[in-house]
Amino acid sequence: MAGITSRVVFSDPHALLSGEPAAPAGPRWYALSLRAQALRETASFDKLLAPHALYDRIRPHPYQVRVVEQVLREKAPAAILADEVGLGKTIEAGLVYKELALRGIVRSALVLAPKALLSQWQEELSERFDEDFVLTDEKRFRGFDREPRVICSLPQFVRSFDQIGARAWDMLIVDEAHLLANPQAKRRIAASQLRARWRLLLTATPVANKVADLYSLIDLVTPGKLGTLREFEAEYVADPGIGRRVRPDRAQRLRAITRDVMCRTRRADTEISFVGRTVDTRAVRAAPAEDALIADVTDYLRRLYRRAPTSRANRGAVIREIMALQQSLSSSPRAIEESLRRRAEKRPDERGALLALADRCREITSAKERLLLDTLAEIGSEPALVFTLRLDTAARLREVTQASGRTADCYIGALNRAEREAMVERFNNGELQTLIATDAGAEGLNLQQRCHVVFNYDLHWNPMRIEQRIGRVHRLGQPHDVAVYNFVLKDTVDDYVLQLLYQKINLFTMTIGALETVLAEAQEGEIDLEERILEIVLGSATSDELRAQVQSLGDELLQAMSRQRAAESLTVEALG
């Protein structure tokens, strides 16, 4: 069989599993026979293919490559990735998947994650690994029976398990896997019943609440390895009924068994030098005309919100429309003007009121413009990356920045690859002092070679988006501490969100892994953080009520952060 196999060449990395050889045709049954043989035999991973195939997209750290090698050579076909926060478990999981995909071993894959992290997963897999995964709420999603690569929220996984579990998957990846630790939870039961040949569980805190959490996760990847739960607790738990301490005389044995299925890297084990961040938040008072405009547009959005359908299926589209208008309002007068005019074209019944609001925008210059120019003057010739939510705002900022004497251009999603590369080259060689980017345009943008100053000209209510912005310069190879400037108008919702929410949890200095865990804790349900903020804004009758509710949401995140830190301590105590 080996001699025959060596004569067949598959140019498509997925060809082996698809049964469609790219080489000149042999009978279809012959290709299927080769497929079956490949699935029976243990692949050799002496030399990894993925790091070379992805050389232009990602340069993994040596410790990440070691983890991938351990998973493939020693722990296959299931493992727990339990690196400390911020060390890149997503990168490791992506490399394992890509290695298996390139070899034709894995074709179908299901990624499960808290709702707050779904888009992050999709973007990482696309940007870094050249893999197109579909989200279940996208229009192009054709169903679990037809899509080979899917990213799904944990609540959706439980609701749709009859469809998801009806097929076998080549690979299952679960992020924030400690959320599966409760053996009675529906999602834990569903995950144990899912047919998947390869399983990767990702969590920085495999011992989140009690030692039995570790048992639950290990039993999910290697059922029976630790016996029954009762047997495990009798042998390893020092405080029955509480379950937060490991018996000292059994600790080394438990750690040895855990190492059979778990890869865990601590920051002290890496070669990474982590630069710091300084955060400068600047609030400026809006002029009366701008303040009045914001109040009147917000009243209009409140009326839209009250008229929104109550059923979730019909409500979602309306909420997205309102969110888009709110983001334009937060961004600039020019952005909300254009949004209002576009809406007036589609809503003849509201045309007069919308155009009247839009006309008022033309007379207003945002106070944040002057603040930006003053701050750019402070930093002198330092290169700066300025983020904004809207294209119209980006164009306006380019105009005023150039008029002030600084060179500037817009890095946006509409640019093709050659245009993007040329603009980055101009920025890196000093031709451009200021790069003004939208979130849509920032994918794949790496500017750490020259720039260490980031402006959040307007605020994104999704904390992961904020972190992605800063991550364009705060990444491997950055020699300087990164300076982050945040701009808000005083006594607006963005001011409240910044003061009562983001600063409370130290969002701007939190490692991305810790941020992901906190958001997962706070957003297990169907409504994400952006929508919760929007509902607070539009559902509050007074500014005092708005502040109180944002304060309450901040308290929730603070509690989630406290739980995460406690889980980190418990994990270190149990595993070292």
Side-chain angles (χ1 to χ4, degrees), residues 63-167:
Y63 73 85
Q64 292 172 325
V65 175
R66 288 195 297 272
V67 167
V68 174
E69 291 172 340
Q70 288 175 23
V71 170
L72 296 172
R73 296 173 186 172
E74 303 168 17
K75 308 185 191 306
I80 302 169
L81 306 185
D83 294 352
E84 287 187 331
V85 294
L87 295 184
K89 292 181 289 295
T90 305
I91 300 298
E92 294 164 356
L95 285 170
V96 172
Y97 165 79
K98 189 69 175 183
E99 187 71 28
L100 297 172
L102 287 170
R103 294 171 183 268
I105 297 171
V106 160
R107 183 170 185 268
S108 63
L110 175 67
V111 176
L112 302 180
K115 187 177 180 183
L117 309 182
L118 300 182
S119 295
Q120 172 80 0
W121 265 97
Q122 186 183 46
E123 290 168 11
E124 287 277 307
L125 288 166
S126 174
E127 177 182 333
R128 297 180 182 272
F129 300 101
D130 195 25
E131 291 288 341
D132 183 25
F133 277 66
V134 64
L135 300 175
T136 58
D137 61 356
E138 290 185 271
K139 290 183 178 179
R140 64 185 177 120
F141 178 64
R142 299 171 297 174
F144 290 102
D145 58 334
R146 299 180 62 188
E147 296 290 352
R149 293 174 291 279
V150 179
I151 300 173
C152 177
S153 71
L154 290 168
Q156 178 75 45
F157 173 62
V158 173
R159 287 199 311 273
S160 303
F161 184 72
D162 287 347
Q163 303 161 48
I164 299 172
R167 63 177 289 186

Side-chain angles (χ1 to χ4, degrees), residues 531-544:
E531 189 172 334
R532 289 188 67 181
I533 294 172
L534 184 69
E535 290 189 341
I536 288 172
V537 172
L538 302 182
S540 299
T542 66
S543 59
D544 287 343

